[in-house]
Amino acid sequence: MPQGSSQAPPRGVPHRGAAHRVVLVVDENSNPFEMSCAIEIFGLRRPELGRELYDFRLCAAEPRTRMRDGFFTLTDVAGLDAAESADTLIVPNRPDTDAPRSPEVLDAARRAHERGARLIGFCSGAFTIAEAGLLDGRRAACHWMWAESFRTRFPRVRLEPDVLFVDDGDILTASGSASALDLGLHVVRRDHGAEIANAVSRRLVFAAHRDGGQRQFVERPVPDVPDESLAPLLAWAQERLGEPLTVADLATRAALSPATLHRRFRAQLGTTPLAWLTGERVALACRLIERGEERLDVVAERSGLGTAANLRARLRQATGLSPSAYRRRFGPPTGEPVRA
């Protein structure tokens, strides 16, 4: 599982080739950035992949919707009845979290949830889902600036304040504006596998997953001497995942003590060196399975996970799937290997 996320085993994954419809609801004073993130990830045609991933639509409760701070007015989109056919419904978000959402939008979210659609909230979208009464007793993420307000208004929701997003099965929430991209790519990965998600992220020129939670973005005093970037070390390790790399090897390469390396990983990535290394190896194992490698011992060796037993345990922990189930869902449909 990528660091900085909280994830449940996948449910509601579209079948290969199915036209999974994603509908984004835009409401009065919605943020245009998150709308653009949804369009970029779910709405664009991707001829380089040879197939369409989603059927995407925008809708709104009113014929004219004034976007945040009156930057522009959105017109000529479908009415709210388009939400009735959504397999995945992205609820609206907006900066005035204390203002109640329109009853029509809340009802649309409730109906979607009742019929088994997946719900997504970007940034303050968690307020919309919670106001609809759908998050009681469940986990959610929201922006750190609104965490206390969210807890006060929705005490029955299990808010996870430090992560970039929460995957609670059929309800997913992202903590902030940019984490809409993190969650969107996670959804693509969950629906279509790591290889497709990586292709989408490359086109976005955005990391397929970012390590660390949103606590790394909370305002704090700037240190007098900032830590050096871990980027060169990470790139070096990513080229050698199949080798018997250890945390001690990373520390030696960085010319740091293991304790100092641990502190820098925590400060810059929000995770530990071992957790990062394991996550990278699991991601590589997923890509190898998606490309058609069926021999688990080979996948385990090439990804650095060592044994087939360890591969099974790590893959199930990260995705909720066994290697065979992962292969059935994300492997080549013809059984032929996909060339890198």
Side-chain angles (χ1 to χ4, degrees), residues 35-44 46 53-54 56 122 180-188 200 204 206:
M35 178 183 72
S36 300
C37 290
I39 294 171
E40 177 73 30
I41 291 177
F42 301 112
L44 294 190
R46 303 191 183 279
L53 303 183
Y54 300 98
F56 179 82
F122 293 146
L181 292 171
D182 295 289
L183 178 52
L185 288 169
H186 168 75
V187 169
V188 175
V200 175
L204 279 167
F206 188 83

Side-chain angles (χ1 to χ4, degrees), residues 233 236 245-259 261 265:
L233 176 65
W236 176 83
L245 283 180
T246 65
V247 173
D249 293 328
L250 297 180
T252 299
R253 175 69 183 184
L256 299 171
S257 69
L261 182 71
F265 264 79

Side-chain angles (χ1 to χ4, degrees), residues 167-331:
D167 178 344
D168 200 39
D170 58 349
I171 298 181
L172 303 91
T173 46
S175 62
S177 293
S179 58
L181 292 171
D182 295 289
L183 178 52
L185 288 169
H186 168 75
V187 169
V188 175
R189 186 182 309 112
R190 186 176 120 168
D191 291 349
H192 299 284
E195 196 76 8
I196 295 293
N198 287 341
V200 175
S201 73
R202 286 194 296 271
R203 181 161 162 179
L204 279 167
V205 196
F206 188 83
H209 65 81
R210 291 188 293 165
D211 293 313
Q214 65 168 325
R215 64 180 175 272
Q216 63 189 304
F217 303 112
V218 177
E219 293 180 2
R220 57 175 63 86
V222 177
D224 292 334
V225 181
D227 286 339
E228 295 179 4
S229 171
L230 288 170
L233 176 65
L234 303 184
W236 176 83
Q238 286 169 330
E239 295 177 355
R240 297 164 174 80
L241 294 174
E243 300 177 12
L245 283 180
T246 65
V247 173
D249 293 328
L250 297 180
T252 299
R253 175 69 183 184
L256 299 171
S257 69
T260 299
L261 182 71
H262 187 94
R263 285 194 297 271
R264 291 195 180 179
F265 264 79
R266 278 294 187 188
Q268 296 184 31
L269 302 180
T271 187
T272 65
L274 181 58
W276 176 86
L277 191 58
T278 301
E280 291 296 311
R281 283 171 164 159
V282 170
L284 176 56
C286 288
R287 293 195 296 273
L288 291 171
I289 293 172
E290 290 169 30
R291 292 174 180 177
E293 180 56 68
E294 297 184 355
R295 297 163 296 176
L296 294 190
D297 55 339
V298 174
V299 173
E301 180 182 359
R302 291 180 59 188
S303 64
L305 291 174
T307 65
N310 190 42
L311 168 63
R312 291 188 186 94
R314 296 296 184 180
L315 190 64
R316 185 175 291 278
Q317 182 182 35
T319 69
L321 299 172
S322 67
S324 58
Y326 192 92
R327 183 185 302 112
R328 286 193 299 271
R329 183 167 292 167
F330 300 121

